[in-house]
């Protein structure tokens, strides 16, 4: 049993150390949020070092506590009666648990503050502030914060890359059951980054990671067994791993009450809101706002959708979304009516959940023959939202929407026949509608097709086809991209290591030769540009520093100075 006094002393010492560190760097009168604006990357590095040292120290202290605790317990058993010993034990356990809870709660709060700052951050400085909170939370033993800091060390966020330290932290986390740490160690072992190249060890890490709940470890194991990479090729084992990931994602999709609404494409415009650009330029956004106010219904619907989900650099703003949808709906847009129905069905700050209002707008859209509105009414009757459950009505509306080619309605028909909801089970019809919906990329339709092939329900069983469907489903949910980006994000900080990983990828999969060739071409081009333009980059950096030295308007000052010199020269020439 760990003695209470020693635990309290440890907490006091750690508290004093943390307070002293903060006192040296910050003004005591500032609030914690304002304090972070003055924190440098050096403090994050120092805190990281402190975390690693502290964990080693705690391990030694705990071993010492166990030895001392056994001796004291034996002594107390001889001196005191069992009753007094039990009472003392309960009191100490209570105090120890309370102290631990307070310490843990503080770490959780710091981690949540860091997450909030990170989500709202728009600059590297703000992101660095978030990691200061993560460092402090990690210092208090918060495992999630420690995972964040280990990732920062691995990928070199904010110039603090230290792969050796990252591995030490991952190994410590892995012993405490962190599946993220197990997955990271598996990746590093499989490529020999910072540790011995050992595929057998990587397999063990991935296996433990998958057992702990890592979806990425499940996917990696699925791919290895499917392709026979360092394991015996086994389609059934691969199918089982992919199934776990697909089940997890499908469960989240099915629990979501949101109704996917068709994206309105803007055509015949040089720069439109449906482009692949991640960020919408401010001046273009202002132009579209102008068009929306002038009555462009298509633009109104698109701006409403962007604000509804927060895309292309625009903040999620339910009030603006509803504003644009209402303007478009007033002008007769069926799509806008369907969006409003969606907003009231799900509920948010601007449109509180109201099934009756959702029914009203879905009905308005459906009366115009809008497939999305018809599908929305079908869902209301299917789930009994604002109306009694009525499978016959749901079937009618789903069929009308499916005839118009709406994939979500096709999926719902397939699900009704697959599960026997309001109709007789008919796996052939279920397969038909799932297949139709899958052709438009409906993710749940692809998931159920994979289930049918995996179990031989309504079709001839095929492990290979089931795996292919599951992979297609996961690609639709953008899960496949993780392993590639996880492996490439780190090497791009080391071009030579990137070349090595690309070569390994080409050797592992014959299908990867062409994409690897183009990736290597891009990598070599980037490397060449870095060498050729180094001087230019250096000069740009020097010019950027003028903002800090002369202020943000130094360029206007320079322009004014040039104009004055030109006037002086012209006067001398013609004077």
């Amino acid at each position: 049993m760990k003695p209470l006094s020693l635990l309290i002393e440890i907490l006091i010492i750690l508290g004093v150390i943390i307070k002293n560190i903060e006192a040296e760097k910050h003004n005591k009168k500032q609030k914690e949020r304002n304090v972070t604006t003055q924190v440098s990357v050096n403090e994050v590095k120092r805190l990281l070092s402190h975390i690693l040292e502290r964990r080693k120290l705690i391990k030694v202290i705990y071993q010492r506590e166990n030895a001392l605790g056994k001796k004291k317990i034996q002594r107390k058993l001889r001196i005191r009666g069992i009753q007094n010993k039990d009472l003392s034990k309960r009191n100490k356990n209570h105090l120890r648990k309370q102290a631990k809870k307070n310490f843990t709660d503080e770490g959780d709060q710091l981690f949540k503050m860091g997450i909030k700052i990170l989500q709202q951050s728009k600059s590297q400085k703000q992101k660095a502030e978030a990691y200061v909170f993560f460092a402090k939370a990690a210092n208090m033993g918060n495992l999630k914060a420690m995972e964040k800091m280990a990732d920062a060390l691995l990928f070199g966020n904010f110039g603090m890359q230290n792969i050796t330290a990252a591995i030490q932290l991952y190994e410590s986390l892995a012993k405490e059951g962190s599946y993220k740490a197990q997955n990271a160690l598996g990746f590093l072992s499989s490529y020999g980054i910072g540790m011995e190249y050992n595929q057998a060890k990587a397999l063990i890490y991935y296996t433990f990671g998958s057992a702990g709940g890592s979806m990425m470890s499940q996917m990696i194991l699925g791919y290895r067994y499917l392709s026979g990479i360092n394991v015996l090729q086994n389609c059934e084992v691969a199918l089982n791993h992919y199934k776990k990931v697909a089940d997890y994602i499908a469960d989240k999709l099915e629990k979501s009450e949101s109704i996917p609404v068709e994206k309105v494409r803007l055509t015949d415009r040089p720069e439109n809101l449906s482009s692949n650009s991640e960020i919408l330029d401010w001046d273009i956004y202002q132009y579209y706002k102008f068009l929306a106010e002038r009555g462009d219904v298509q633009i109104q619907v698109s701006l409403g959708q962007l604000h509804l989900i927060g895309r292309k650099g625009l903040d999620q703003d339910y009030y603006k979304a509803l504003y644009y949808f209402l303007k478009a709906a007033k002008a007769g847009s069926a799509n806008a009516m369907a969006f409003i129905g969606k907003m009231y069905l799900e509920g948010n700050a601007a449109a509180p959940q109201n099934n009756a209002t959702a029914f009203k707008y879905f009905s308005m859209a459906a009366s115009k023959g809008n497939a999305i509105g018809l599908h929305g009414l079908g869902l209301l009757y299917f789930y009994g939202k604002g109306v009694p459950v009525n499978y016959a009505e749901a079937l009618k509306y789903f069929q009308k929407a499916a005839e118009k080619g709406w994939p979500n309605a096709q999926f719902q028909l397939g699900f009704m026949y697959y599960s026997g909801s309001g109709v007789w089970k008919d796996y052939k019809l279920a397969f038909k509608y799932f297949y139709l919906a899958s052709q438009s990329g409906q993710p749940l339709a692809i998931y159920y097709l994979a289930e049918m092939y995996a179990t031989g329900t309504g079709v001839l069983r095929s492990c290979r086809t089931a795996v292919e469907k599951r992979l297609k489903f996961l690609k639709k949910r953008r899960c496949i991209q993780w392993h590639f980006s996880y492996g490439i994000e780190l090497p791009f900080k080391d071009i030579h290591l990137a070349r090595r990983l690309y070569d390994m990828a080409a050797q592992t999969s014959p299908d990867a030769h062409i994409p690897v060739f183009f990736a290597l071409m891009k990598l070599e081009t980037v490397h060449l540009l870095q060498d050729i333009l180094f001087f230019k980059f250096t000069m740009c950096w020097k010019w950027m520093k003028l903002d800090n030295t002369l202020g943000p308007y130094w360029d206007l000052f320079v322009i004014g100075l040039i104009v004055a010199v030109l006037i002086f020269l012209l006067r001398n020439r013609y004077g």
Side-chain angles (χ1 to χ4, degrees):
M1 190 57 62
K2 302 168 187 174
L4 176 63
S5 60
L6 185 56
L7 179 61
I8 292 174
E9 288 177 6
I10 295 169
L11 293 176
I12 291 172
I13 291 170
L14 289 173
V16 171
I17 291 172
I18 294 171
K19 291 297 181 183
N20 287 337
I21 292 172
E22 292 177 343
E24 292 173 2
K25 293 290 182 179
H26 312 298
N27 190 323
K28 292 180 181 179
K29 295 180 180 180
Q30 289 180 311
K31 293 182 180 179
E32 191 169 26
R33 288 177 183 236
N34 294 331
V35 169
T36 57
T37 59
Q38 298 179 0
V39 176
S40 64
V41 173
N42 290 332
E43 183 178 358
V44 178
K45 293 180 181 178
R46 179 171 49 74
L47 284 170
L48 281 168
S49 176
H50 181 63
I51 291 166
L52 295 171
E53 292 299 324
R54 176 179 171 273
R55 293 187 66 77
K56 292 178 183 178
L57 176 63
I58 288 175
K59 184 177 180 181
V60 173
I61 291 173
Y62 279 175
Q63 291 174 348
R64 183 181 172 189
E65 278 184 336
N66 288 332
L68 291 173
K70 289 179 181 179
K71 292 180 181 179
K72 288 190 177 183
I73 287 172
Q74 292 173 356
R75 192 182 309 119
K76 287 177 181 178
L77 284 174
R78 289 195 298 267
I79 297 173
R80 299 179 181 180
I82 296 176
Q83 185 177 4
N84 292 335
K85 190 262 317 186
D86 287 342
L87 180 61
S88 176
K89 180 180 177 181
R90 285 197 297 271
N91 289 336
K92 288 185 177 181
N93 283 339
H94 174 72
L95 290 172
R96 184 170 63 240
K97 287 179 181 178
Q98 188 61 42
K100 185 177 180 181
K101 183 179 182 301
N102 293 339
F103 199 67
T104 303
D105 289 346
E106 189 176 351
D108 290 342
Q109 288 299 319
L110 288 169
F111 177 74
K112 289 176 182 177
M113 290 173 71
I115 289 292
K116 186 176 181 180
I117 293 173
L118 191 63
Q119 290 174 342
Q120 298 175 350
S121 64
K122 295 182 179 179
S123 66
Q124 287 296 101
K125 182 180 178 181
Q126 290 175 325
K127 290 179 181 179
E129 292 170 8
Y131 274 87
V132 171
F133 279 102
F134 292 147
K136 291 179 180 179
N139 197 37
M140 293 184 168
N142 186 284
L143 293 182
K144 291 182 179 179
M146 292 171 67
E147 289 171 348
K148 286 279 187 185
M149 300 312 298
D151 290 342
L153 284 168
L154 178 63
F155 293 116
N157 295 345
F158 317 112
M160 55 184 181
Q161 187 174 38
N162 188 329
I163 295 177
T164 302
I167 292 171
Q168 290 177 4
L169 200 48
Y170 280 134
E171 288 175 341
S172 177
L173 286 165
K175 291 176 183 177
E176 298 187 33
S178 169
Y179 65 81
K180 290 185 179 179
Q182 297 279 8
N183 189 70
L185 289 171
F187 169 77
L188 295 172
S189 296
S190 65
Y191 289 105
I193 301 173
M195 55 197 308
E196 181 186 2
Y197 174 80
N198 192 324
Q199 290 294 342
K201 200 171 182 180
L203 185 63
I204 293 172
Y205 280 127
Y206 286 139
T207 302
F208 278 112
S210 66
S214 170
M215 294 296 105
M216 292 305 109
S217 289
Q218 293 281 10
M219 290 180 61
I220 292 167
L221 287 174
Y223 180 73
R224 287 190 168 218
Y225 279 103
L226 182 65
S227 305
I229 301 174
N230 299 113
V231 293
L232 291 175
Q233 192 172 19
N234 191 322
C235 180
E236 297 297 334
V237 176
L239 179 62
N240 183 53
H241 283 296
Y242 283 130
K243 175 177 169 55
K244 291 177 181 178
V245 183
D247 287 349
Y248 172 78
I249 296 170
D251 183 61
K252 290 184 114 180
L253 285 174
E254 289 178 331
K255 285 180 179 178
S256 172
E257 294 182 351
S258 63
I259 300 175
V261 182
E262 186 178 22
K263 294 180 181 178
V264 181
R265 295 187 61 83
L266 300 180
T267 56
D268 302 324
R269 296 189 185 275
E271 293 182 82
N272 58 68
L273 299 180
S274 61
S275 68
N276 293 325
S277 175
E278 290 295 326
I279 303 295
L280 187 66
D281 289 340
W282 184 85
D283 53 343
I284 296 176
Y285 172 64
Q286 295 300 318
Y287 171 64
Y288 283 126
K289 278 180 64 178
F290 170 76
L291 292 179
E293 294 300 329
R294 291 286 299 272
D296 191 316
V297 177
Q298 221 174 11
I299 295 290
Q300 290 168 350
V301 174
S302 293
L303 284 178
Q305 187 181 12
L306 293 182
H307 281 297
L308 179 64
I309 57 180
R311 289 184 62 233
K312 294 189 179 292
L314 299 181
D315 293 331
Q316 189 177 51
D317 191 323
Y318 294 120
Y319 292 98
K320 287 183 179 178
L322 185 61
Y323 169 77
Y324 286 118
F325 289 146
L326 286 171
K327 286 180 76 71
K330 189 175 180 180
S333 169
N335 274 321
M337 296 169 188
F339 269 110
I340 296 171
K342 168 187 168 68
M343 290 184 72
Y344 277 103
L345 179 62
E346 296 174 355
N348 54 64
Q353 206 285 327
N354 190 312
N355 291 325
T357 307
F359 183 87
K360 169 188 170 183
Y361 280 101
F362 281 137
S363 297
M364 291 168 63
S367 67
K368 292 177 173 289
N370 182 272
I372 306 166
L374 291 165
H375 173 246
L377 286 177
L379 284 177
L380 292 176
Y381 280 110
F382 186 81
Y383 291 107
K385 290 184 174 293
V387 292
V389 172
N390 190 325
Y391 290 125
E393 284 293 294
L395 184 67
K396 179 182 76 174
Y397 285 115
F398 287 149
Q399 285 175 333
K400 287 183 178 180
E403 288 170 3
K404 293 179 179 294
W406 183 233
N408 293 314
Q410 293 168 345
F411 161 73
Q412 285 297 151
L413 284 174
F415 180 78
M416 290 184 76
Y417 285 112
Y418 181 83
S419 60
S421 301
V423 294
W424 292 104
K425 283 187 178 181
D426 190 327
Y427 293 125
K428 288 186 178 180
L429 278 176
F431 182 85
K432 169 191 170 182
Y433 285 115
F434 284 150
Y435 180 80
L436 284 173
S438 72
Q439 296 306 294
S440 299
Q442 215 287 344
L444 284 174
I446 298 169
Y447 169 80
Y448 278 98
L449 281 177
E451 281 291 293
M452 295 182 81
Y453 277 112
T455 57
T457 304
V459 292
L460 186 66
R461 187 182 187 278
S462 172
C463 177
R464 193 79 191 185
T465 305
V467 169
E468 289 173 357
K469 292 289 180 183
R470 293 206 192 284
L471 285 173
K472 187 177 179 181
F473 169 72
L474 295 174
K475 285 178 181 178
K476 285 292 177 185
R477 304 314 302 167
R478 299 197 175 187
C479 296
I480 299 295
Q481 296 176 2
W482 179 89
H483 191 227
F484 180 78
S485 62
Y486 190 79
I488 299 304
E489 182 179 349
L490 173 62
F492 262 116
K493 299 179 186 296
D494 186 334
I495 290 178
H496 302 291
L497 183 57
R499 290 195 190 103
R500 175 185 168 193
L501 291 180
Y502 278 131
D503 290 337
M504 291 176 67
Q507 294 170 8
T508 301
S509 174
D511 297 333
H513 282 296
I514 294 177
V516 164
F517 170 76
F518 286 113
L520 283 171
M521 290 292 292
K522 178 182 177 181
L523 185 67
E524 296 298 342
T525 303
V526 171
H527 193 192
L528 180 63
L529 288 174
Q530 285 179 348
D531 290 338
I532 295 175
L533 303 179
F534 177 76
F535 177 75
K536 181 180 177 181
F537 292 154
T538 304
M539 291 304 296
C540 287
W541 175 248
K542 289 179 179 178
W543 280 106
M544 288 169 65
K545 286 185 176 180
L546 288 173
D547 282 348
N548 297 327
T549 307
L550 302 177
Y553 303 109
W554 63 268
D555 52 344
L556 297 178
F557 171 77
V558 172
I559 291 171
L561 184 61
I562 293 172
V563 170
V565 171
L566 287 173
I567 292 172
F568 175 78
L569 292 175
L570 288 171
R571 282 185 175 178
N572 287 342
R573 181 178 178 87
Y574 298 103

